[in-house]
Amino acid sequence: MSRTKPVNLLLERYGTTHAEEAGVRLRNTPAPLYQLLTLCVLFSVPIRADMAVDAARELSRAGLRTPASMAHASWQYRVDALVRAHYRRYDESTSTALGEGAQLVLDRYKGDLRRLREAAGGDPVRVRELLREVPRIGPVGADIFCREAQGLWPELRPAFDRRARSAARELGLPTAPEELADLVDAADLPRLAAALVRAGLAKEDTAQVLRAG
């Protein structure tokens, strides 16, 4: 595996995952996996990425880091945390979705999303289907979860969604997920996927990366 100059620049400039940005130390344990799911719920509405990340941080500061704490908190407590993060317009509906989703994770998976993984039987398509049964999680939220969790769950690899592959095309990189995966070590797959999505949103900077390559 030999990285090209554009890949190195991508990782350096854009290779921060949403979980990292939100202060989540992602590990294959119940609390961090649930915090990633919460982040995906927050991203599943048309809102700026920085607002979703800020909301995730505020929910964490409010002590809502596990399905139990989220489900047992009052609806208003969750709303107040979202409002403090300026996650307005969707604060009330998102509070409801977070409460219902936390209860689903408790009831169906005993608070541990590793049980969702087991229920999927190693099938990445089934993982996405089960994720989408969580209130508010749609295709975008499921893609984000798989993109960031692929460093922990090998069966999700390589997870490069449509936006990541589109950015790869603009950068002159391979667009097939398997070929993109060959550009980095397995541990860096979440960072490369995140970098491609971020680069795709930063058109001017993307051009600079292309010229540098």
Side-chain angles (χ1 to χ4, degrees), residues 117-192:
R117 180 188 185 190
E118 292 172 4
D123 181 356
V125 173
R126 185 60 179 152
V127 169
R128 285 175 167 82
E129 291 174 348
L130 293 175
L131 286 169
R132 291 184 63 179
E133 292 179 2
V134 177
R136 185 61 69 78
I137 296 288
V140 171
D143 280 344
I144 292 172
F145 187 97
C146 292
R147 204 168 71 209
E148 305 230 342
Q150 66 180 316
L152 303 173
W153 296 357
E155 66 271 23
L156 298 178
R157 303 172 190 162
F160 293 95
D161 58 27
R162 177 183 55 80
R163 292 177 299 170
R165 296 194 304 273
S166 177
R169 183 180 298 107
E170 292 295 323
L171 288 164
L173 295 173
T175 57
E178 294 77 10
E179 293 182 40
L180 283 170
D182 287 340
L183 297 176
V184 296
D185 296 325
D188 280 332
L189 284 172
R191 294 184 61 224
L192 178 58

Side-chain angles (χ1 to χ4, degrees), residues 2-173:
S2 177
R3 290 178 181 168
T4 63
K5 189 174 181 181
V7 171
N8 284 326
L9 288 170
L10 276 170
L11 292 175
E12 179 181 345
R13 191 173 303 179
Y14 300 115
T16 301
T17 65
H18 290 313
E20 289 172 336
E21 193 176 15
V24 178
R25 295 184 60 188
L26 199 54
R27 301 185 300 278
N28 194 31
T29 54
L33 289 171
Y34 176 70
Q35 290 167 45
L36 174 59
L37 184 71
T38 297
L39 189 57
C40 294
V41 171
L42 297 169
F43 267 100
S44 293
V45 296
I47 198 166
R48 293 203 322 267
D50 59 337
M51 294 180 68
V53 168
D54 287 347
R57 289 173 176 162
E58 188 57 42
L59 288 168
S60 180
R61 281 193 289 267
L64 306 181
R65 304 184 192 95
T66 66
S69 62
M70 188 71 77
H72 297 157
S74 72
W75 178 84
Q76 189 62 54
Y77 187 80
R78 295 191 297 265
V79 167
D80 290 344
L82 293 170
V83 169
R84 286 196 299 273
H86 307 290
Y87 193 93
R88 299 187 177 93
R89 183 180 173 192
Y90 299 102
D91 52 341
E92 296 186 355
S93 63
T94 299
S95 175
T96 299
L98 287 170
E100 292 176 351
Q103 194 61 56
L104 181 147
V105 173
L106 287 171
D107 293 343
R108 190 173 299 177
Y109 305 116
K110 301 186 187 303
D112 188 347
L113 288 171
R114 292 175 299 183
R115 293 176 182 268
L116 180 151
R117 180 188 185 190
E118 292 172 4
D123 181 356
V125 173
R126 185 60 179 152
V127 169
R128 285 175 167 82
E129 291 174 348
L130 293 175
L131 286 169
R132 291 184 63 179
E133 292 179 2
V134 177
R136 185 61 69 78
I137 296 288
V140 171
D143 280 344
I144 292 172
F145 187 97
C146 292
R147 204 168 71 209
E148 305 230 342
Q150 66 180 316
L152 303 173
W153 296 357
E155 66 271 23
L156 298 178
R157 303 172 190 162
F160 293 95
D161 58 27
R162 177 183 55 80
R163 292 177 299 170
R165 296 194 304 273
S166 177
R169 183 180 298 107
E170 292 295 323
L171 288 164
L173 295 173

